[in-house]
Amino acid sequence: MAMTGSANVPAGRALQGAPEKRVTLAFLGVGLAAMLLGFLLGPPQALNYAGIDIYDYLPLSSYYQGLTLHGVLMALVFTSYFICGLLLYLPARELGMRPRMPGAWLAFWMMTVGTLMAGAAMVADTSNVLYTLYPPMQGHPAFYLGLALVVVATLVTAALTFDMYLGWRRANPGQPTPLVTYMAVVTWIMWAIASVGLAVGVLFILLPWSLGWVEGADPQLFRTLFWYTGHPIVYFWLLPAYIAWYAIVPKQAGGKLVSDPMVRLVFLMFLLFSIPVGFHHQYADPGIPVAWKLVHNIMTAFVAIPSLITAFTVAASLENGGRARGGRGVFGWIPVLPWKNAAFTASVLAMVTFIFGGAGGMVLASFNLNLVVHNTAFIPGHFHITVGTAVTMTFMGLAFALIPHLSGRTLLAPKAALASVWLWFVGMMTFAVGMHWQGVLGVPRRSKISDIAGEYADVYANAAFPAALSGLGGVILFVAGALFFWVIVGTLLRRRAAELPPMPEFTETLSGPYQADGTPKRHVMIMERLGLWTLLTVVLVAIAYAPMLIEQVRGYVGVPGVQLW
Ligand code: HAS
Ligand code: CU
């Protein structure tokens, strides 16, 4: 009942026509275009690990320019566009409402101007500072300003979703928010609090410093601000994928989501625990007392819990689907799932990958184990099976479902689409096994092998096999991505279909937000009090961060910029 659109939509803004489809298609389309550019720079990195140097033949000044472009385009630009499209459109469909269109286009163009500025700065070889932006490496002011615009554009989009949510609340007092909207709004609240660190770091430290208005930037303070945002950004990427796993995939499987209230609890836990954990990226940083690292270590254990719950809830929903399709026995429900549906298979393979990505994350979260692999190939191994597969492949699946619906064209070559996700899965697994293994052997990340091969000769002597695996993974990924983009671009170039491809449906639930008598469940209504949960989050974040931030601001050490390229 709560999953369908509401009849009480404020007059005038109810959905008719398709402007919100156009802006969503623009967000997804430009996001995928950024991914295409970033993707082309991926396989050369993988081959770099295997000792094959393609960078010298590419129209780039260096390996590091390619790495910066790859990281920024994939992790910051592609994700931001795609997520803004999703978190605007899915709630709009669920509520039967239209976002304020001028605002939506404003967000889109802000993001696009920001991307073009940062992109031009990177292409012009002025800003090879990698996607972590660490000073004292200094990029061009246009690079920093461009990235700040991208972040602000995400916040404008957040406000638009929030505006629809408030409109719905006014029209439906005392009712639980429909689930997809609830998930989207909680994700946005988390991101609104989380993005402050990066925004402050870029606007108040890097930008004035790159403009020459101040002489020095404080690397330690910036790193703290960066990871204040840099950890929760991974949940800003992940939670939209979870929205698909919870609200769309069970329906594709032919089943029902097992529990609506449990999903709300999961998202609230992400709100509370996503942010106060950033020091797990700074275990090796001097200047942060070990006690604070311990606090963030413990909080990191908490933030894994909602993902562990997700694993069981989503698996149970898939089993529900498999059994409804006639699957028998302990595992008999698995082969009967709709594996021929590329959109479904993309998400499920993304989940399977995330079992390993999550396990690697738990290893990294442990202080002592982290010190063994920090700054090694292990880390890119970890994040290519989290953001690079769990998230990206879920988005690829959503693209197969949504691009036809939004553009009015049927999907070109569904079999090629299916092949692309299997190849992405196999390629990324091969790549990641090689990367984790190299990391354990001590192969550093972010290094052009031919520059450091002499210094690390004995490390590389041991790592030849896993290095070759990573290179092989990169080649498989190239084929996977080529197929994927062929399907997407080909779909967009097709003639319009006679019949509009439908919107993927949202799932029903076995246990919904209402009691049998039709009144909302009490615990669901407690979870509706988002103001209270937001306040609690802010308190928790302040406890985890304020003391260190105050100390670092008071001991500000300004360092002049360097250009290492
Ligand atoms: Fe991480 C570094 C710890 C999750 C991304 N992480 C990174 C970096 C990135 C990243 C980009 O503690 C590198 C940043 C850089 O450049 O330096 N990470 C964690 C932990 C988690 C975690 C504890 N990471 C993610 C996610 C990411 C991501 C998600 C992107 C989207 N990570 C770290 C740490 C570092 C780090 C340290 C710093 C390392 C260093 O030294 O620099 C947890 O959230 C993971 C919890 C996940 C689980 C898995 C649940 C499994 C599910 C799937 C179920 C499957 C089903 C399928 C249902 C416990 C939900 C069934 C299928 C059938 C067919 C039946
Ligand atoms: Cu993290």
Side-chain angles (χ1 to χ4, degrees), residues 131 234-235 280-281 311 351 358 361 364-365 370 374 382-383 386 445:
Y131 82 141
V234 314
Y235 298 121
H280 71 217
H281 293 265
M351 294 169 197
L364 288 172
N370 181 285
H374 180 64
H382 165 65
F383 68 68
T386 49
R445 70 185 283 201

Side-chain angles (χ1 to χ4, degrees), residues 148 151-152 155 195-204 229:
V151 174
V152 175
L155 297 177
S195 58
V196 174
L198 185 61
V200 168
V202 170
L203 291 174
F204 292 99
T229 302

Side-chain angles (χ1 to χ4, degrees), residues 83 87 154-155 157-163 165-166 169 177 181-196 228 232 235-236 239 243 267-268 270-275 527-538 541:
I83 291 165
L87 293 192
T154 61
L155 297 177
T157 314
L160 296 166
T161 309
F162 219 76
D163 171 59
Y165 159 75
L166 292 178
R169 290 272 310 245
T177 310
T181 306
Y182 186 86
M183 292 190 276
V185 167
V186 173
T187 304
W188 278 132
I189 297 175
M190 187 280 286
W191 175 241
I193 304 172
S195 58
V196 174
Y228 169 98
Y235 298 121
F236 178 55
L239 296 187
I243 294 179
F267 272 70
L268 276 191
F270 275 118
L271 173 62
L272 286 167
F273 302 134
S274 285
I275 305 170
M527 292 191 282
E528 280 292 313
R529 303 181 62 183
L530 290 179
L532 177 72
W533 295 109
T534 305
L535 185 70
L536 266 177
T537 306
V538 172
V541 170

Side-chain angles (χ1 to χ4, degrees), residues 157-439:
T157 314
L160 296 166
T161 309
F162 219 76
D163 171 59
M164 287 192 290
Y165 159 75
L166 292 178
W168 187 90
R169 290 272 310 245
R170 274 194 298 276
N172 299 272
Q175 295 303 312
T177 310
L179 186 60
V180 171
T181 306
Y182 186 86
M183 292 190 276
V185 167
V186 173
T187 304
W188 278 132
I189 297 175
M190 187 280 286
W191 175 241
I193 304 172
S195 58
V196 174
L198 185 61
V200 168
V202 170
L203 291 174
F204 292 99
I205 300 181
L206 299 185
L207 191 60
W209 171 65
S210 66
L211 287 165
W213 297 348
V214 293
E215 257 174 39
D218 184 329
Q220 186 60 269
L221 174 61
F222 180 80
R223 289 163 75 94
T224 304
L225 288 169
F226 182 87
W227 289 116
Y228 169 98
T229 302
H231 181 80
I233 205 176
V234 314
Y235 298 121
F236 178 55
W237 302 330
L238 182 70
L239 296 187
Y242 275 13
I243 294 179
W245 295 3
Y246 279 129
I248 296 176
V249 175
K251 184 81 187 178
Q252 290 168 332
K256 292 182 178 177
L257 174 64
V258 290
S259 166
D260 163 303
M262 184 66 99
V263 176
R264 294 173 196 258
L265 180 66
V266 161
F267 272 70
L268 276 191
M269 290 175 82
F270 275 118
L271 173 62
L272 286 167
F273 302 134
S274 285
I275 305 170
V277 298
F279 290 162
H280 71 217
H281 293 265
Q282 296 175 275
Y283 286 148
D285 279 22
I288 298 169
V290 81
W292 282 111
K293 293 177 179 169
L294 177 67
V295 169
H296 285 223
N297 185 338
I298 293 168
M299 294 306 291
T300 306
F302 277 102
V303 80
I305 295 171
S307 283
L308 289 165
I309 299 176
T310 299
F312 290 102
T313 317
V314 173
S317 304
L318 290 177
E319 179 176 352
N320 181 267
R323 301 234 177 265
R325 301 167 78 91
R328 300 272 171 274
V330 181
F331 296 114
W333 54 272
I334 298 175
V336 297
L337 291 170
W339 293 105
K340 287 198 178 124
N341 176 350
F344 169 83
T345 300
S347 288
V348 177
L349 293 179
M351 294 169 197
V352 172
T353 317
F354 194 48
I355 297 173
F356 303 101
M362 312 286 289
V363 168
L364 288 172
S366 141
F367 186 92
N368 327 41
L369 293 177
N370 181 285
L371 297 183
V372 179
V373 289
H374 180 64
N375 270 343
T376 68
F378 196 100
I379 313 301
H382 165 65
F383 68 68
H384 280 83
I385 51 174
T386 49
V387 63
T389 310
V391 172
T392 300
M393 224 159 61
T394 303
F395 289 0
M396 287 160 70
L398 285 169
F400 295 146
L402 281 172
I403 298 278
H405 161 71
L406 295 168
S407 69
R409 289 151 170 94
T410 49
L411 191 71
L412 180 86
K415 281 194 183 139
L418 188 60
S420 77
V421 297
W422 274 104
L423 283 169
W424 193 280
F425 171 69
V426 172
M428 211 52 112
M429 281 304 211
T430 310
F431 173 77
V433 168
M435 295 298 277
H436 284 85
W437 189 346
Q438 288 183 82

Side-chain angles (χ1 to χ4, degrees), residues 13-84:
R13 301 243 323 275
L15 290 183
Q16 321 122 346
E20 70 286 344
K21 278 189 179 173
R22 274 198 293 280
V23 78
T24 307
L25 187 61
F27 271 120
L28 302 193
V30 178
L32 290 170
M35 178 185 163
L36 172 58
L37 295 177
F39 151 75
L40 291 172
L41 293 166
Q45 320 263 352
L47 289 170
N48 165 66
Y49 278 95
I52 301 170
D53 205 345
I54 294 191
Y55 268 94
D56 292 345
Y57 306 99
L58 294 179
L60 292 167
S61 78
S62 68
Y63 168 81
Y64 301 98
Q65 189 188 14
L67 186 53
T68 305
L69 275 160
H70 178 71
V72 169
L73 286 172
M74 293 301 224
L76 304 177
V77 176
F78 156 62
T79 49
S80 295
Y81 272 104
F82 212 92
I83 291 165
C84 283

